[in-house]
Amino acid sequence: MRVNAIDGFHEDLEHLRAALDASCIVGTWDWDHVRGIVVYDAGAAWLLTGDRDLADREISGAAAAAAVHPADQEWLAEHMKRAAKAGGLVLAEYRILADDGSVRWLLNRGRSHLDDVGRPIRSRGILIDITEMRDGGARYVLNQAPPANDPLVRAAELAISLKETLGTDAPADVRIATDLLLFSLGSALGRPGDEETT
């Protein structure tokens, strides 16, 4: 009976591996905001740093995103910081430069957790290779960074500041209204429009 249970476990593990391969999940990441470090698994380390030996090690600074396409590095860093401060879903789509010089597209999906006073403490997530899904070249989750003077970007920054200022002690209806405003602004920013694609 025990042998069958072990065989069943191995079979389930193989099904899980096959499902992960089919879903194009290529890595995981864990960002400790308090200490300012990130830890990648082997797939994420190779894709984001270009160095598999950095897997399961604490990384900080530019090394953590060395393989991210130069045109995406600055806006991605700012986007990730804003997402961490807001808490909740972390979602971004960006390019990396592979060892062979080709460009790959990654979808970064995770969740950011805040402490009791609303400060980011940890974010965790997965990387999905979406290169095959990008036939026409247009991003389907998050396009290039909007111009800094974009009124929607400024409004989103102010709404994030409003949420941080209110904190968790604000009345529930005010928190809900603030979250709805942030959601609406995020949807407007992420909506495909006439923006130029990269």
Side-chain angles (χ1 to χ4, degrees), residues 28-32 35-46 49 51-61 63-64 122:
T28 63
W29 53 270
D30 185 341
W31 183 9
D32 182 334
R35 296 175 49 221
I37 55 104
V38 65
V39 175
Y40 298 135
D41 72 354
W46 175 62
T49 71
D51 185 353
R52 291 181 197 272
D53 291 337
L54 292 176
D56 300 317
R57 294 189 183 178
E58 295 181 350
I59 310 167
S60 62
R122 184 169 229 110

Side-chain angles (χ1 to χ4, degrees), residues 71-72 74-76 78-79 82 93 139 141-157 185-191 195-196 198:
D72 290 348
E74 188 175 333
W75 76 260
L76 178 62
E78 288 305 312
H79 171 75
R82 283 194 308 268
E93 183 180 333
R139 296 180 188 174
V141 173
L142 178 65
N143 208 331
Q144 66 205 41
N149 58 354
D150 185 315
L152 285 175
V153 171
R154 182 70 183 127
E157 290 170 354
L185 287 166
S187 296
L189 283 167
R191 193 174 300 131
E195 64 267 7
E196 177 183 300
T198 56

Side-chain angles (χ1 to χ4, degrees), residues 11-185:
E11 187 175 316
D12 289 345
L13 190 57
E14 288 305 313
H15 286 298
L16 177 60
R17 284 187 186 134
L20 290 173
D21 288 343
S23 67
C24 300
I25 295 174
V26 291
T28 63
W29 53 270
D30 185 341
W31 183 9
D32 182 334
H33 301 290
V34 177
R35 296 175 49 221
I37 55 104
V38 65
V39 175
Y40 298 135
D41 72 354
W46 175 62
L47 290 167
L48 296 177
T49 71
D51 185 353
R52 291 181 197 272
D53 291 337
L54 292 176
D56 300 317
R57 294 189 183 178
E58 295 181 350
I59 310 167
S60 62
V68 173
H69 193 287
D72 290 348
Q73 284 182 355
E74 188 175 333
W75 76 260
L76 178 62
E78 288 305 312
H79 171 75
M80 293 297 287
K81 287 177 191 171
R82 283 194 308 268
K85 286 182 182 177
L89 183 65
V90 175
L91 191 63
E93 183 180 333
Y94 52 91
R95 297 165 291 179
I96 58 161
L97 297 175
D99 287 343
D100 63 3
S102 64
V103 175
R104 308 289 302 171
W105 285 90
L106 296 182
L107 174 64
N108 183 341
R109 188 184 195 293
R111 188 149 305 275
S112 185
H113 303 278
L114 307 178
D115 66 13
D116 293 340
V117 294
R119 292 176 300 211
I121 52 173
R122 184 169 229 110
S123 299
R124 291 184 174 121
I126 60 172
L127 297 173
I128 304 169
D129 187 330
I130 58 170
T131 306
E132 291 178 351
M133 295 183 240
R134 304 198 73 260
D135 296 344
R139 296 180 188 174
Y140 68 94
V141 173
L142 178 65
N143 208 331
Q144 66 205 41
N149 58 354
D150 185 315
L152 285 175
V153 171
R154 182 70 183 127
E157 290 170 354
L158 291 170
I160 289 169
S161 294
L162 173 64
K163 181 177 176 74
E164 290 171 351
T165 301
L166 290 171
T168 56
D169 293 334
D173 58 333
V174 174
R175 289 195 322 267
I176 291 169
T178 305
D179 289 343
L180 182 58
L181 174 62
L182 279 167
F183 176 78
S184 297
L185 287 166

